[in-house]
Amino acid sequence: EVQLVESGGGLVNPGRSLRLSCTASGFTFGDYAMSWFRQAPGKGLEWVGFIRSKAYGGTTEYAASVKDRFTISRDDSKSIAYLQMDSLKSEDTAVYCCARALLACGSACYPYFFDYWGQGTLVTLSS
Amino acid sequence: QSVLTQPPSVSAAPGQKVTISCSGSSSNIGNNYVSWYQHLPGTAPKLLIHDNDKRPSGIPDRFSGSKSGTSATLGITGLQTGDEADYYCGGWDYSLSAWVFGGGTKLTVL
């Protein structure tokens, strides 16, 4: 059974950093791209970014709202995807969740759907 | 303001049918696959439809998807109270180099 479990959320002051983890089980983690999403209170789902598998270069793409502040990485030996969040702002308050991504490849490889998701971990910015 | 446009809410009685529209552009829906997700806040989102009209295993055939041009539609027949949730369409936008969602549609089964 595929499972994705996020951890690392909590209360943090604006300007500080936080690292979230997405621990995967039930599939060969290294074969898949992984993505992060968030949902702010009262808002819809928002894509944060994704990381390709090593077979596709292990490269990353980010939403404009988090680019240059957030970094996605992966440790295939531990089946974990990470979301490093720096220079946090009040508008980053949200439930963050990860999902397994299926890639379509043309001139580049990008997600065309997300088949398994975690429940999420809450990040709250408060001074 | 979401890149993809969905109605904020839809409602229908149990047993009835409902459709949820998703409007985009040539840089997303028009030239890429659409997928649909069901989400109850506090739970993991669930994939309902991928590749415009394909259901993953375990998703009942009450759920269907279609795409025409720069718009997509999710259909749900035989509505059940358990279908009450938020529904999102999504797809890759090659101009933005980003995954984009609709704003979400809240389904109420009256």
Side-chain angles (χ1 to χ4, degrees):
Chain A
E1 178 194 7
V2 172
Q3 284 195 314
L4 298 172
V5 179
E6 301 88 348
S7 60
L11 183 65
V12 61
N13 291 333
R16 302 302 293 265
S17 298
L18 197 65
R19 188 179 78 162
L20 306 183
S21 299
C22 168
T23 302
S25 60
F27 65 101
T28 304
F29 181 78
D31 288 348
Y32 289 88
M34 297 297 296
S35 190
W36 284 93
F37 299 84
R38 66 184 181 183
Q39 184 174 34
K43 303 290 187 181
L45 290 174
E46 180 187 11
W47 175 74
V48 171
F50 84 99
I51 184 166
R52 297 175 178 86
S53 64
K54 293 284 196 304
Y56 292 96
T59 52
T60 53
E61 307 286 347
Y62 299 96
S65 58
V66 305
K67 196 171 183 180
D68 300 327
R69 297 191 301 124
F70 289 12
T71 303
I72 298 173
S73 60
R74 61 189 300 152
D75 186 335
D76 292 348
S77 68
K78 296 181 179 178
S79 297
I80 298 177
Y82 298 102
L83 177 64
Q84 176 68 41
M85 304 185 292
D86 298 323
S87 303
L88 282 162
K89 306 175 181 179
S90 58
E91 53 263 41
D92 294 321
T93 292
V95 173
Y96 286 75
C97 64
C98 61
R100 190 173 82 169
L102 280 294
L103 299 186
C105 294
S107 56
C109 294
Y110 55 87
Y112 71 110
F113 67 92
F114 306 94
D115 60 352
Y116 291 95
W117 297 66
Q119 268 190 265
T121 185
L122 176 62
V123 173
T124 303
L125 275 291
S126 176
S127 53
Chain B
Q1 194 80 352
S2 301
V3 173
L4 305 181
T5 301
Q6 297 180 235
S9 63
V10 295
S11 62
Q16 296 299 302
K17 173 182 176 178
V18 71
T19 60
I20 299 172
S21 60
C22 175
S23 178
S25 69
S26 59
S27 65
N28 42 67
I29 292 178
N31 282 285
N32 285 310
Y33 289 115
V34 176
S35 49
W36 289 89
Y37 304 86
Q38 179 190 62
H39 186 216
L40 273 166
T43 69
K46 178 192 288 187
L47 172 68
L48 291 178
I49 297 289
H50 65 88
D51 293 28
N52 306 324
D53 57 8
K54 294 180 173 48
R55 280 178 290 106
S57 61
I59 301 300
D61 59 7
R62 300 189 298 108
F63 295 89
S64 64
S66 64
K67 187 181 98 168
S68 179
T70 60
S71 294
T73 301
L74 174 71
I76 312 173
T77 60
L79 279 170
Q80 303 172 0
T81 55
D83 295 331
E84 287 199 332
D86 298 321
Y87 291 82
Y88 294 87
C89 59
W92 187 258
D93 188 300
Y94 67 77
S95 290
L96 297 173
S97 288
W99 182 269
V100 294
F101 281 115
T105 299
K106 183 175 181 61
L107 169 63
T108 301
V109 181
L110 302 167

